[in-house]
Amino acid sequence: DIVMTQSPDSLAVSLGERATINCKSSQSVLYSSNNKNYLAWYQQKPGQPPKVLIYWASIRESGVPDRFSGSGSGTDFTLTISSLLAEDVAVYYCQQYYTSPQTFGQGTKLEIK
Amino acid sequence: QLQLQESGPGPVKPSETLSLTCTVSGGSINSNNYYWGWIRQPPGKGLEWIGSISNSGSTYYNPSLKSRVTISVDTSKNQFSLKLTSVTAADTAVYYCARHAISSWYQYLQHWGQGTLVTVSS
């Protein structure tokens, strides 16, 4: 299985400041034939299902605010929230869909400082 | 707007079989060879993909659960289902159904149901 490791486990950021969450995969999720990274980011608020924010490592899902961005390739990825809003308080997960079983990171809890 | 809704009989006793159904509305389960999946989340913990199925019945299962899991699809009812046998307390979780994006298993999970908590307890 590909192990997804997120850092940090929790993060407190002031409103309006930048939040950065990292995700590292135990093997590359870059498929050389199409040069795509099979990596997605999800946001989960309390009592709600996860919601996809980013796929192919850097493509924003329709309707996702542009303060959310994804970057990285191969085994190292980053989710950045450029200017934190109160509504961004949530747990964030990365996920690889490169191979079976699809696996998730352990989650990063984002709070307001 | 595609909607997915999980349903099931409620609490399950240890060693029994957990059965859940996901009803799809706002779209046909038969369209475009999408894959439909089950994911679970123990209380206060992270996400675990259980398995997925296409409208034609092709399946992918998590090897950690494969010996106990069966996922099936009923296109006439626009539903797909999960059966997990020989459950223990470790199977207590919120169970989500979801649809992969586009027509491939090698896709992220684009649409999710609200989830249903299944408790395994005697």
Side-chain angles (χ1 to χ4, degrees):
Chain A
D1 297 7
I2 295 179
V3 177
M4 308 299 289
T5 303
Q6 294 180 224
S7 61
D9 290 333
S10 63
L11 180 63
V13 174
S14 300
L15 293 172
E17 296 298 306
R18 177 185 301 260
T20 301
I21 299 170
N22 299 302
C23 175
K24 188 174 186 67
S25 57
S26 60
Q27 64 187 75
S28 176
V29 298
L30 173 62
Y31 189 40
S32 56
S33 295
N34 59 13
N35 201 35
K36 286 185 173 181
N37 288 282
Y38 284 57
L39 189 285
W41 288 98
Y42 298 84
Q43 175 193 63
Q44 187 178 32
K45 297 181 179 180
Q48 295 185 20
K51 170 191 169 184
V52 63
L53 299 174
I54 302 286
Y55 58 94
W56 300 131
S58 63
I59 308 297
R60 256 190 315 276
E61 175 74 344
S62 175
V64 173
D66 61 7
R67 65 180 181 275
F68 291 92
S69 63
S71 63
S73 185
T75 61
D76 292 280
F77 301 91
T78 300
L79 174 70
T80 301
I81 307 172
S82 60
S83 181
L84 191 72
L85 300 182
E87 67 198 50
D88 300 332
V89 168
V91 178
Y92 293 83
Y93 295 92
C94 61
Q95 178 220 11
Q96 66 82 16
Y97 47 99
Y98 180 83
T99 190
S100 183
Q102 294 192 0
T103 49
F104 295 85
Q106 81 275 18
T108 295
K109 186 175 184 179
L110 177 59
E111 298 174 313
I112 305 295
K113 184 187 291 183
Chain B
Q1 177 77 356
L2 188 72
Q3 292 190 323
L4 296 88
Q5 181 66 59
E6 306 87 354
S7 60
V12 184
K13 290 183 167 53
S15 80
E16 294 187 343
T17 295
L18 178 160
S19 296
L20 294 173
T21 295
C22 183
T23 301
V24 178
S25 59
S28 171
I29 205 168
N30 229 357
S31 65
N32 296 332
N33 201 35
Y34 284 109
Y35 274 78
W36 306 84
W38 289 97
I39 304 93
R40 69 180 183 178
Q41 185 172 37
K45 296 189 177 180
L47 299 160
E48 180 180 35
W49 171 74
I50 300 170
S52 300
I53 190 167
S54 72
N55 64 321
S56 62
S58 298
T59 53
Y60 289 81
Y61 293 130
N62 192 322
S64 69
L65 297 167
K66 187 173 183 178
S67 64
R68 298 195 292 133
V69 170
T70 302
I71 297 175
S72 58
V73 63
D74 186 338
T75 56
S76 67
K77 294 181 178 179
N78 230 30
Q79 295 176 335
F80 62 105
S81 299
L82 169 71
K83 288 191 187 301
L84 180 66
T85 62
S86 304
V87 298
T88 69
D91 295 310
T92 293
V94 175
Y95 285 76
Y96 296 100
C97 60
R99 196 201 77 183
H100 294 252
I102 313 181
S103 303
S104 169
W105 178 84
Y106 295 90
Q107 288 289 338
Y108 61 97
L109 296 152
Q110 187 177 35
H111 296 280
W112 295 66
Q114 286 299 307
T116 187
L117 175 63
V118 178
T119 302
V120 178
S121 173
S122 55

